[in-house]
Amino acid sequence: VQETCEDTTSRFDVTELGGKTKKKGCDWVAEMRTSWRCDLVGVREQCPATCGGCGDDCADKAGKYTITIGTFTGDKKACKWVAQRPRVRCKDPA
């Protein structure tokens, strides 16, 4: 279990729906369907930053901001939208 608000850099066991256990990392959690993957046993403890488990110190800002890079340049989006694909969307400096 992480004591700070940082994702582990190690791979860890994840039991998928079919019951298979595979080694995964927080980058896998962040790729897609993040909220679903965060609900798998043990993932939130290994990936607190990715899964939003950092408490008030890491709270998202309220409201929307304007996207400054990529396909959605100029669109207004909220942090919830970023959380769906953080690995790609967190690169926006806005």
Side-chain angles (χ1 to χ4, degrees):
V1 176
Q2 302 290 312
E3 296 204 13
T4 62
C5 187
E6 295 178 12
D7 291 346
T8 184
T9 56
S10 303
R11 295 172 67 75
F12 51 92
D13 289 333
V14 174
T15 303
E16 296 179 333
L17 282 182
K20 277 190 162 183
T21 300
K22 295 183 179 180
K23 291 279 188 195
K24 300 289 185 178
C26 294
D27 56 339
W28 172 80
V29 176
E31 281 177 359
M32 65 170 68
R33 299 180 358 198
T34 302
S35 61
W36 179 82
R37 289 176 174 180
C38 286
D39 286 340
L40 295 172
V41 174
V43 172
R44 284 187 192 279
E45 291 78 14
Q46 297 293 328
C47 308
T50 297
C51 294
C54 296
D56 295 335
D57 292 341
C58 287
D60 291 337
K61 68 180 187 180
K64 295 184 177 185
Y65 67 95
T66 303
I67 304 299
T68 60
I69 61 172
T71 307
F72 296 96
T73 299
D75 290 359
K76 295 214 178 275
K77 300 287 184 181
C79 291
K80 185 176 181 179
W81 176 81
V82 174
Q84 293 171 347
R85 296 189 66 207
R87 190 165 154 198
V88 175
R89 296 175 178 168
C90 283
K91 294 177 183 174
D92 193 331

Coordinates of all heavy atoms in Angstrom, one line a residue:
V1 N 0.8 -1.2 0.0 CA 0.0 0.0 0.0 C 0.9 1.2 0.0 O 1.8 1.3 0.8 CB -0.9 0.0 1.2 CG1 -1.7 1.3 1.3 CG2 -1.8 -1.2 1.2
Q2 N 0.6 2.2 -0.8 CA 1.3 3.4 -1.0 C 0.9 4.4 0.2 O -0.2 4.5 0.5 CB 1.0 4.1 -2.3 CG 1.3 3.3 -3.5 CD 2.7 3.1 -3.7 OE1 3.5 4.1 -3.7 NE2 3.2 1.9 -3.9
E3 N 1.9 5.0 0.8 CA 1.7 6.0 1.8 C 1.6 7.4 1.3 O 1.2 8.3 2.0 CB 2.8 5.9 2.9 CG 2.7 4.5 3.6 CD 3.3 4.5 4.9 OE1 3.6 5.6 5.5 OE2 3.5 3.4 5.4
T4 N 2.1 7.6 0.1 CA 2.0 8.9 -0.5 C 1.0 8.9 -1.7 O 0.5 7.8 -2.0 CB 3.4 9.4 -1.0 OG1 3.8 8.5 -2.1 CG2 4.4 9.4 0.1
C5 N 0.7 10.0 -2.2 CA -0.2 10.1 -3.3 C 0.5 9.9 -4.6 O 0.5 10.7 -5.5 CB -1.0 11.4 -3.3 SG -2.3 11.4 -4.5
E6 N 1.2 8.8 -4.8 CA 1.9 8.5 -6.0 C 1.6 7.0 -6.4 O 1.5 6.1 -5.5 CB 3.4 8.6 -5.8 CG 3.9 10.0 -5.5 CD 5.4 10.1 -5.3 OE1 6.1 9.1 -5.6 OE2 5.8 11.1 -4.8
D7 N 1.4 6.8 -7.7 CA 1.2 5.5 -8.2 C 2.4 4.7 -8.0 O 3.5 5.2 -8.2 CB 0.8 5.5 -9.7 CG -0.6 6.1 -9.9 OD1 -1.4 6.2 -8.9 OD2 -0.9 6.4 -11.1
T8 N 2.3 3.4 -7.8 CA 3.4 2.5 -7.8 C 4.0 2.4 -9.2 O 3.3 2.5 -10.2 CB 3.1 1.1 -7.3 OG1 4.3 0.3 -7.2 CG2 2.1 0.4 -8.2
T9 N 5.3 2.3 -9.3 CA 5.9 2.1 -10.6 C 6.1 0.6 -10.9 O 6.5 0.2 -12.0 CB 7.3 2.8 -10.7 OG1 8.1 2.3 -9.6 CG2 7.1 4.3 -10.6
S10 N 5.8 -0.3 -10.0 CA 5.9 -1.7 -10.2 C 4.7 -2.3 -10.8 O 3.6 -1.7 -10.6 CB 6.2 -2.4 -8.8 OG 7.3 -1.8 -8.2
R11 N 4.8 -3.4 -11.4 CA 3.6 -4.2 -11.8 C 3.1 -5.0 -10.7 O 3.8 -5.3 -9.8 CB 4.0 -5.0 -13.0 CG 4.5 -4.2 -14.2 CD 5.1 -5.0 -15.4 NE 4.1 -5.8 -16.1 CZ 3.2 -5.5 -16.9 NH1 3.1 -4.2 -17.2 NH2 2.4 -6.3 -17.5
F12 N 1.8 -5.2 -10.7 CA 1.1 -5.9 -9.6 C 0.1 -6.8 -10.1 O -0.3 -6.7 -11.3 CB 0.5 -4.9 -8.6 CG -0.3 -3.8 -9.3 CD1 -1.7 -4.0 -9.4 CD2 0.2 -2.7 -9.7 CE1 -2.5 -3.1 -10.0 CE2 -0.6 -1.7 -10.4 CZ -1.9 -1.9 -10.5
D13 N -0.3 -7.8 -9.3 CA -1.3 -8.8 -9.8 C -2.7 -8.1 -9.8 O -3.1 -7.4 -8.9 CB -1.4 -9.9 -8.8 CG -0.2 -10.8 -8.9 OD1 0.4 -10.9 -10.0 OD2 0.2 -11.5 -7.9
V14 N -3.4 -8.3 -10.9 CA -4.8 -7.9 -11.1 C -5.6 -9.1 -11.5 O -5.3 -9.8 -12.5 CB -4.9 -6.8 -12.2 CG1 -6.3 -6.4 -12.5 CG2 -4.1 -5.5 -11.8
T15 N -6.7 -9.3 -10.8 CA -7.6 -10.4 -11.2 C -8.7 -9.8 -12.0 O -9.5 -9.0 -11.6 CB -8.2 -11.1 -9.9 OG1 -7.1 -11.6 -9.1 CG2 -9.1 -12.3 -10.3
E16 N -8.8 -10.3 -13.3 CA -9.8 -9.7 -14.2 C -11.1 -10.5 -14.0 O -11.1 -11.5 -13.3 CB -9.2 -9.9 -15.6 CG -8.0 -9.0 -15.8 CD -7.4 -9.1 -17.2 OE1 -7.5 -10.1 -17.9 OE2 -6.8 -8.1 -17.6
L17 N -12.1 -10.0 -14.7 CA -13.4 -10.6 -14.6 C -13.5 -12.1 -14.8 O -14.2 -12.8 -14.0 CB -14.4 -9.9 -15.6 CG -14.9 -8.6 -15.1 CD1 -15.9 -8.0 -16.2 CD2 -15.5 -8.6 -13.8
G18 N -12.8 -12.6 -15.7 CA -12.8 -14.1 -16.0 C -12.1 -14.9 -14.9 O -12.0 -16.1 -15.0
G19 N -11.5 -14.2 -13.9 CA -10.8 -14.9 -12.9 C -9.3 -15.1 -13.1 O -8.5 -15.5 -12.2
K20 N -8.8 -14.7 -14.3 CA -7.4 -14.8 -14.6 C -6.6 -13.6 -13.9 O -7.1 -12.5 -13.8 CB -7.1 -14.6 -16.1 CG -7.3 -15.9 -16.9 CD -6.8 -15.7 -18.3 CE -6.5 -17.0 -18.9 NZ -6.0 -16.8 -20.3
T21 N -5.5 -14.0 -13.3 CA -4.6 -13.0 -12.7 C -3.5 -12.7 -13.6 O -2.8 -13.6 -14.1 CB -4.1 -13.5 -11.3 OG1 -5.2 -13.8 -10.5 CG2 -3.2 -12.5 -10.6
K22 N -3.3 -11.4 -13.8 CA -2.2 -10.9 -14.7 C -1.4 -9.8 -14.0 O -2.0 -9.1 -13.2 CB -2.8 -10.4 -16.0 CG -3.5 -11.5 -16.9 CD -3.9 -10.9 -18.2 CE -4.6 -12.0 -19.0 NZ -5.1 -11.4 -20.3
K23 N -0.2 -9.6 -14.4 CA 0.6 -8.5 -13.9 C 0.3 -7.3 -14.8 O 0.3 -7.3 -16.0 CB 2.1 -8.8 -14.1 CG 2.6 -9.9 -13.2 CD 2.9 -9.3 -11.8 CE 3.6 -10.4 -10.9 NZ 3.6 -10.0 -9.5
K24 N -0.1 -6.2 -14.1 CA -0.4 -5.0 -14.7 C 0.2 -3.8 -14.0 O 0.8 -4.0 -12.9 CB -2.0 -4.7 -14.7 CG -2.8 -5.8 -15.4 CD -2.6 -5.8 -16.9 CE -3.5 -6.8 -17.6 NZ -3.4 -6.8 -19.0
G25 N 0.2 -2.6 -14.6 CA 0.7 -1.4 -14.0 C -0.3 -0.3 -14.0 O -1.3 -0.4 -14.7
C26 N 0.0 0.8 -13.4 CA -0.9 1.9 -13.3 C -1.1 2.5 -14.7 O -2.1 3.1 -15.0 CB -0.4 2.9 -12.3 SG -0.5 2.3 -10.6
D27 N -0.1 2.4 -15.6 CA -0.2 2.9 -16.9 C -1.4 2.1 -17.6 O -2.2 2.7 -18.4 CB 1.1 2.7 -17.7 CG 1.6 1.3 -17.8 OD1 1.3 0.5 -16.9 OD2 2.4 1.0 -18.7
W28 N -1.5 0.8 -17.4 CA -2.6 0.0 -17.9 C -4.0 0.5 -17.4 O -4.9 0.7 -18.1 CB -2.4 -1.4 -17.6 CG -3.6 -2.3 -17.9 CD1 -3.9 -2.8 -19.2 CD2 -4.6 -2.8 -17.0 NE1 -5.1 -3.6 -19.1 CE2 -5.5 -3.6 -17.8 CE3 -4.9 -2.6 -15.7 CZ2 -6.6 -4.2 -17.2 CZ3 -6.0 -3.2 -15.1 CH2 -6.8 -4.0 -15.9
V29 N -4.0 0.8 -16.1 CA -5.2 1.4 -15.5 C -5.6 2.7 -16.1 O -6.8 2.9 -16.4 CB -5.0 1.6 -14.0 CG1 -6.3 2.2 -13.3 CG2 -4.7 0.2 -13.3
A30 N -4.7 3.5 -16.4 CA -4.9 4.8 -17.0 C -5.3 4.8 -18.5 O -5.9 5.8 -18.9 CB -3.7 5.7 -16.8
E31 N -5.0 3.8 -19.2 CA -5.2 3.7 -20.6 C -6.7 3.9 -21.1 O -6.9 4.7 -22.0 CB -4.7 2.4 -21.2 CG -3.2 2.4 -21.4 CD -2.7 1.1 -21.9 OE1 -3.6 0.1 -22.1 OE2 -1.5 0.9 -22.1
M32 N -7.6 3.2 -20.4 CA -9.0 3.3 -20.8 C -9.8 2.6 -19.7 O -9.3 1.9 -18.9 CB -9.2 2.6 -22.1 CG -9.0 1.1 -22.1 SD -9.6 0.2 -23.6 CE -8.5 0.8 -24.8
R33 N -11.1 3.0 -19.7 CA -12.0 2.4 -18.7 C -11.4 2.5 -17.3 O -11.5 1.5 -16.5 CB -12.4 1.0 -19.1 CG -13.1 0.9 -20.4 CD -13.4 -0.5 -20.8 NE -13.1 -1.6 -20.0 CZ -13.1 -2.8 -20.4 NH1 -13.3 -3.2 -21.6 NH2 -12.8 -3.8 -19.5
T34 N -10.8 3.6 -17.0 CA -10.1 3.8 -15.8 C -10.9 3.5 -14.5 O -10.5 2.8 -13.6 CB -9.4 5.2 -15.7 OG1 -8.6 5.3 -16.8 CG2 -8.6 5.4 -14.4
S35 N -12.1 4.1 -14.5 CA -12.9 3.9 -13.3 C -13.3 2.5 -13.0 O -13.3 2.0 -11.9 CB -14.2 4.8 -13.3 OG -15.0 4.5 -14.4
W36 N -13.5 1.7 -14.1 CA -13.8 0.3 -14.0 C -12.6 -0.4 -13.5 O -12.7 -1.3 -12.6 CB -14.3 -0.2 -15.4 CG -14.6 -1.7 -15.3 CD1 -15.7 -2.3 -14.9 CD2 -13.7 -2.8 -15.7 NE1 -15.6 -3.7 -15.0 CE2 -14.4 -4.0 -15.5 CE3 -12.4 -2.8 -16.2 CZ2 -13.8 -5.2 -15.8 CZ3 -11.8 -4.0 -16.4 CH2 -12.5 -5.2 -16.2
R37 N -11.4 -0.1 -14.1 CA -10.2 -0.8 -13.7 C -9.8 -0.5 -12.2 O -9.3 -1.3 -11.5 CB -9.1 -0.5 -14.6 CG -9.3 -1.1 -16.0 CD -8.2 -0.7 -17.0 NE -8.4 -1.5 -18.2 CZ -7.7 -1.3 -19.3 NH1 -6.6 -0.5 -19.3 NH2 -7.9 -2.0 -20.4
C38 N -10.1 0.7 -11.8 CA -9.8 1.1 -10.4 C -10.6 0.3 -9.4 O -10.2 0.2 -8.3 CB -10.0 2.6 -10.2 SG -8.7 3.6 -11.0
D39 N -11.8 -0.2 -9.9 CA -12.6 -0.9 -9.0 C -12.2 -2.4 -8.8 O -12.7 -3.1 -8.0 CB -14.1 -0.9 -9.5 CG -14.7 0.5 -9.2 OD1 -14.2 1.2 -8.3 OD2 -15.7 0.8 -9.9
L40 N -11.2 -2.8 -9.6 CA -10.7 -4.2 -9.5 C -10.0 -4.3 -8.1 O -9.3 -3.3 -7.7 CB -9.8 -4.6 -10.6 CG -10.5 -4.6 -12.0 CD1 -9.5 -4.8 -13.1 CD2 -11.5 -5.8 -12.0
V41 N -10.0 -5.4 -7.5 CA -9.4 -5.6 -6.2 C -7.9 -5.2 -6.2 O -7.1 -5.7 -7.0 CB -9.5 -7.1 -5.7 CG1 -8.8 -7.3 -4.4 CG2 -11.0 -7.5 -5.6
G42 N -7.6 -4.3 -5.2 CA -6.2 -3.9 -5.0 C -5.7 -2.8 -5.9 O -4.6 -2.3 -5.6
V43 N -6.4 -2.4 -6.9 CA -5.9 -1.4 -7.9 C -5.8 0.0 -7.3 O -4.8 0.7 -7.4 CB -6.7 -1.4 -9.2 CG1 -6.3 -0.3 -10.1 CG2 -6.5 -2.8 -9.9
R44 N -6.9 0.4 -6.6 CA -6.8 1.7 -5.9 C -5.7 1.9 -5.0 O -5.1 3.0 -4.9 CB -8.1 2.0 -5.2 CG -9.3 2.3 -6.1 CD -10.5 2.7 -5.3 NE -11.7 2.7 -6.2 CZ -11.9 3.7 -7.1 NH1 -11.2 4.8 -7.1 NH2 -13.0 3.6 -7.9
E45 N -5.3 0.9 -4.3 CA -4.2 1.0 -3.3 C -2.9 1.1 -4.1 O -2.0 1.8 -3.6 CB -4.1 -0.3 -2.4 CG -5.3 -0.4 -1.5 CD -6.6 -0.9 -2.1 OE1 -6.6 -1.4 -3.2 OE2 -7.6 -0.7 -1.5
Q46 N -2.7 0.5 -5.2 CA -1.5 0.6 -6.0 C -1.4 1.9 -6.9 O -0.3 2.4 -7.1 CB -1.4 -0.6 -6.9 CG -1.2 -1.9 -6.2 CD 0.0 -2.0 -5.4 OE1 1.1 -1.5 -5.8 NE2 0.0 -2.7 -4.3
C47 N -2.6 2.4 -7.2 CA -2.6 3.5 -8.2 C -3.5 4.7 -7.6 O -4.5 5.1 -8.2 CB -3.2 3.1 -9.5 SG -2.4 1.6 -10.2
P48 N -3.2 5.2 -6.4 CA -4.1 6.2 -5.8 C -4.2 7.5 -6.7 O -5.3 8.1 -6.7 CB -3.4 6.5 -4.5 CG -2.0 6.1 -4.7 CD -2.0 5.0 -5.6
A49 N -3.1 7.9 -7.3 CA -3.2 9.1 -8.1 C -4.1 8.9 -9.4 O -5.0 9.7 -9.7 CB -1.8 9.6 -8.6
T50 N -3.9 7.8 -10.0 CA -4.7 7.5 -11.2 C -6.2 7.3 -10.8 O -7.1 7.7 -11.6 CB -4.2 6.2 -11.9 OG1 -2.9 6.5 -12.4 CG2 -5.1 5.8 -13.1
C51 N -6.4 6.7 -9.7 CA -7.8 6.3 -9.3 C -8.5 7.4 -8.4 O -9.6 7.2 -7.9 CB -7.8 5.0 -8.6 SG -7.3 3.6 -9.6
G52 N -7.8 8.5 -8.2 CA -8.5 9.6 -7.5 C -8.5 9.4 -6.0 O -9.4 9.8 -5.3
G53 N -7.6 8.6 -5.5 CA -7.6 8.3 -4.0 C -6.7 9.1 -3.2 O -6.2 8.6 -2.2
C54 N -6.4 10.3 -3.6 CA -5.4 11.1 -3.0 C -5.9 12.1 -1.9 O -5.2 12.8 -1.3 CB -4.5 11.9 -4.0 SG -3.6 10.8 -5.1
G55 N -7.2 12.1 -1.7 CA -7.8 13.0 -0.7 C -7.8 14.4 -1.2 O -7.6 14.8 -2.3
D56 N -8.0 15.3 -0.2 CA -8.2 16.7 -0.5 C -6.9 17.4 -1.0 O -7.0 18.4 -1.7 CB -8.6 17.4 0.8 CG -10.0 17.0 1.2 OD1 -10.8 16.5 0.4 OD2 -10.3 17.1 2.4
D57 N -5.8 16.8 -0.7 CA -4.5 17.4 -1.2 C -4.4 17.4 -2.7 O -3.7 18.2 -3.3 CB -3.3 16.7 -0.5 CG -3.2 17.0 1.0 OD1 -3.9 18.0 1.4 OD2 -2.6 16.2 1.6
C58 N -5.0 16.4 -3.3 CA -4.9 16.3 -4.8 C -6.3 16.5 -5.5 O -6.5 15.9 -6.5 CB -4.4 14.9 -5.1 SG -2.7 14.7 -4.8
A59 N -7.1 17.3 -4.9 CA -8.5 17.5 -5.5 C -8.4 18.2 -6.8 O -7.6 19.1 -7.1 CB -9.3 18.3 -4.5
D60 N -9.3 17.8 -7.7 CA -9.4 18.4 -9.0 C -10.0 19.8 -8.8 O -10.9 20.0 -7.9 CB -10.3 17.6 -9.9 CG -9.7 16.3 -10.4 OD1 -8.5 16.2 -10.4 OD2 -10.5 15.4 -10.7
K61 N -9.7 20.7 -9.7 CA -10.3 22.0 -9.6 C -11.7 21.9 -10.2 O -12.0 21.1 -11.1 CB -9.5 23.1 -10.3 CG -9.4 23.0 -11.8 CD -8.5 24.2 -12.3 CE -8.5 24.2 -13.8 NZ -7.7 25.3 -14.3
A62 N -12.6 22.7 -9.7 CA -14.0 22.7 -10.1 C -14.1 23.4 -11.5 O -13.3 24.2 -11.9 CB -14.9 23.4 -9.1
G63 N -15.2 23.2 -12.2 CA -15.5 23.8 -13.4 C -14.8 23.2 -14.6 O -14.2 22.1 -14.5
K64 N -14.8 23.9 -15.7 CA -14.2 23.4 -16.9 C -13.0 24.3 -17.3 O -12.9 25.5 -16.9 CB -15.2 23.4 -18.1 CG -16.3 22.4 -17.8 CD -17.3 22.3 -19.0 CE -18.3 21.3 -18.7 NZ -19.2 21.1 -19.8
Y65 N -12.1 23.8 -18.1 CA -11.0 24.6 -18.7 C -11.0 24.3 -20.2 O -11.6 23.4 -20.7 CB -9.7 24.2 -18.0 CG -9.2 22.8 -18.3 CD1 -8.3 22.6 -19.3 CD2 -9.7 21.7 -17.5 CE1 -7.9 21.3 -19.6 CE2 -9.2 20.4 -17.8 CZ -8.3 20.2 -18.8 OH -7.9 19.0 -19.1
T66 N -10.3 25.2 -20.9 CA -10.2 25.1 -22.3 C -9.0 24.3 -22.7 O -7.9 24.5 -22.3 CB -10.0 26.5 -22.9 OG1 -11.1 27.3 -22.5 CG2 -10.0 26.5 -24.4
I67 N -9.2 23.3 -23.6 CA -8.2 22.4 -24.1 C -7.3 23.2 -25.0 O -7.8 24.0 -25.8 CB -8.8 21.2 -24.8 CG1 -9.8 20.4 -24.0 CG2 -7.7 20.3 -25.4 CD1 -9.2 19.9 -22.7
T68 N -6.0 23.0 -24.8 CA -5.0 23.8 -25.6 C -4.2 23.0 -26.6 O -3.5 23.6 -27.4 CB -4.0 24.6 -24.7 OG1 -3.3 23.6 -23.9 CG2 -4.8 25.6 -23.8
I69 N -4.3 21.7 -26.6 CA -3.6 20.9 -27.6 C -4.5 19.8 -28.1 O -5.5 19.4 -27.4 CB -2.3 20.3 -27.0 CG1 -2.6 19.4 -25.8 CG2 -1.3 21.4 -26.6 CD1 -1.4 18.6 -25.3
G70 N -4.2 19.2 -29.3 CA -4.8 18.0 -29.8 C -6.2 18.3 -30.5 O -6.5 19.4 -30.8
T71 N -6.9 17.2 -30.7 CA -8.1 17.2 -31.4 C -9.2 18.1 -30.8 O -10.0 18.7 -31.5 CB -8.7 15.8 -31.5 OG1 -7.7 14.9 -32.1 CG2 -9.9 15.7 -32.4
F72 N -9.2 18.2 -29.5 CA -10.2 19.0 -28.8 C -9.8 20.4 -28.5 O -10.5 21.1 -27.7 CB -10.6 18.2 -27.5 CG -11.2 16.9 -27.7 CD1 -10.4 15.7 -27.7 CD2 -12.5 16.8 -28.1 CE1 -11.0 14.5 -27.9 CE2 -13.1 15.5 -28.3 CZ -12.3 14.4 -28.3
T73 N -8.8 20.9 -29.1 CA -8.3 22.3 -28.9 C -9.5 23.3 -29.0 O -10.3 23.3 -29.9 CB -7.2 22.7 -29.9 OG1 -6.1 21.8 -29.8 CG2 -6.8 24.1 -29.7
G74 N -9.6 24.1 -28.0 CA -10.7 25.1 -27.9 C -11.9 24.6 -27.2 O -12.7 25.5 -26.7
D75 N -12.1 23.3 -27.0 CA -13.3 22.8 -26.3 C -13.1 23.0 -24.8 O -12.0 23.1 -24.3 CB -13.5 21.3 -26.5 CG -13.9 21.0 -27.9 OD1 -14.1 21.9 -28.7 OD2 -14.0 19.8 -28.2
K76 N -14.2 23.2 -24.1 CA -14.2 23.3 -22.6 C -14.5 21.9 -22.0 O -15.5 21.3 -22.4 CB -15.2 24.3 -22.1 CG -14.9 25.7 -22.6 CD -15.3 26.7 -21.5 CE -14.9 28.1 -21.9 NZ -13.6 28.5 -21.6
K77 N -13.6 21.4 -21.2 CA -13.7 20.1 -20.6 C -13.5 20.2 -19.1 O -12.8 21.0 -18.6 CB -12.8 19.1 -21.2 CG -12.9 18.9 -22.7 CD -14.1 18.1 -23.0 CE -14.2 17.9 -24.5 NZ -15.4 17.1 -24.9
A78 N -14.0 19.2 -18.3 CA -13.9 19.1 -16.9 C -12.8 18.0 -16.6 O -12.5 17.2 -17.4 CB -15.2 18.8 -16.2
C79 N -12.4 18.0 -15.4 CA -11.4 17.0 -15.0 C -11.9 15.6 -15.1 O -11.1 14.6 -15.4 CB -10.9 17.3 -13.5 SG -10.0 18.8 -13.3
K80 N -13.2 15.4 -15.0 CA -13.8 14.1 -15.2 C -13.5 13.5 -16.6 O -13.2 12.3 -16.7 CB -15.3 14.1 -14.9 CG -16.0 12.8 -14.9 CD -17.4 13.0 -14.5 CE -18.1 11.6 -14.5 NZ -19.5 11.7 -14.2
W81 N -13.5 14.4 -17.6 CA -13.2 14.0 -18.9 C -11.8 13.6 -19.0 O -11.5 12.6 -19.7 CB -13.5 15.2 -19.9 CG -13.2 15.0 -21.3 CD1 -13.9 14.3 -22.2 CD2 -12.0 15.4 -22.0 NE1 -13.2 14.3 -23.4 CE2 -12.1 15.0 -23.3 CE3 -10.9 16.2 -21.6 CZ2 -11.1 15.3 -24.2 CZ3 -9.9 16.4 -22.5 CH2 -10.0 16.0 -23.8
V82 N -10.9 14.3 -18.4 CA -9.4 14.0 -18.4 C -9.2 12.6 -17.8 O -8.4 11.8 -18.3 CB -8.6 15.1 -17.7 CG1 -7.1 14.7 -17.6 CG2 -8.7 16.4 -18.4
A83 N -9.9 12.4 -16.7 CA -9.7 11.1 -16.0 C -10.1 9.9 -16.8 O -9.6 8.8 -16.5 CB -10.6 11.1 -14.7
Q84 N -10.9 10.0 -17.8 CA -11.2 8.9 -18.7 C -10.0 8.4 -19.5 O -9.9 7.2 -19.8 CB -12.3 9.3 -19.7 CG -13.6 9.5 -19.0 CD -14.6 10.1 -19.9 OE1 -14.3 10.5 -21.1 NE2 -15.9 10.1 -19.5
R85 N -9.0 9.3 -19.8 CA -7.8 8.9 -20.5 C -6.6 9.8 -20.0 O -6.1 10.5 -20.8 CB -8.0 9.1 -22.0 CG -9.1 8.1 -22.6 CD -9.2 8.1 -24.1 NE -7.9 7.6 -24.6 CZ -7.5 7.9 -25.8 NH1 -8.1 8.7 -26.6 NH2 -6.4 7.3 -26.3
P86 N -6.3 9.7 -18.8 CA -5.3 10.6 -18.2 C -3.9 10.5 -18.8 O -3.2 11.5 -18.9 CB -5.2 10.2 -16.7 CG -5.8 8.8 -16.7 CD -6.8 8.7 -17.8
R87 N -3.6 9.3 -19.3 CA -2.2 9.2 -19.9 C -2.0 10.1 -21.1 O -1.0 10.6 -21.3 CB -2.0 7.7 -20.2 CG -0.6 7.4 -20.6 CD -0.5 5.9 -20.6 NE 0.6 5.5 -21.5 CZ 0.7 4.3 -22.0 NH1 -0.1 3.3 -21.7 NH2 1.7 4.0 -22.8
V88 N -3.1 10.2 -21.8 CA -3.0 11.1 -23.0 C -3.4 12.5 -22.7 O -2.8 13.5 -23.1 CB -4.0 10.5 -24.1 CG1 -4.1 11.5 -25.3 CG2 -3.6 9.2 -24.5
R89 N -4.5 12.7 -21.9 CA -5.1 14.0 -21.7 C -4.4 14.8 -20.7 O -4.5 16.1 -20.6 CB -6.6 13.8 -21.4 CG -7.3 13.3 -22.5 CD -8.8 13.0 -22.2 NE -9.5 12.5 -23.4 CZ -10.6 11.9 -23.4 NH1 -11.3 11.8 -22.2 NH2 -11.2 11.5 -24.5
C90 N -3.6 14.3 -19.8 CA -2.9 15.0 -18.8 C -1.7 15.8 -19.4 O -1.1 16.6 -18.7 CB -2.4 14.1 -17.6 SG -3.7 13.7 -16.5
K91 N -1.4 15.6 -20.6 CA -0.3 16.3 -21.3 C -0.7 17.8 -21.6 O 0.2 18.6 -21.9 CB 0.1 15.6 -22.5 CG 0.7 14.3 -22.2 CD 1.1 13.5 -23.5 CE 1.7 12.2 -23.1 NZ 1.9 11.3 -24.3
D92 N -2.0 18.1 -21.5 CA -2.4 19.5 -21.8 C -2.0 20.4 -20.7 O -2.3 20.1 -19.5 CB -4.0 19.5 -22.0 CG -4.5 20.8 -22.5 OD1 -3.8 21.8 -22.3 OD2 -5.5 20.7 -23.2
P93 N -1.2 21.4 -20.9 CA -0.7 22.3 -19.8 C -1.8 23.2 -19.2 O -1.5 23.8 -18.2 CB 0.3 23.1 -20.5 CG -0.1 23.2 -22.0 CD -0.8 21.8 -22.2
A94 N -3.0 23.2 -19.7 CA -4.0 24.1 -19.2 C -4.4 23.8 -17.8 O -4.2 22.8 -17.2 CB -5.3 24.0 -20.1

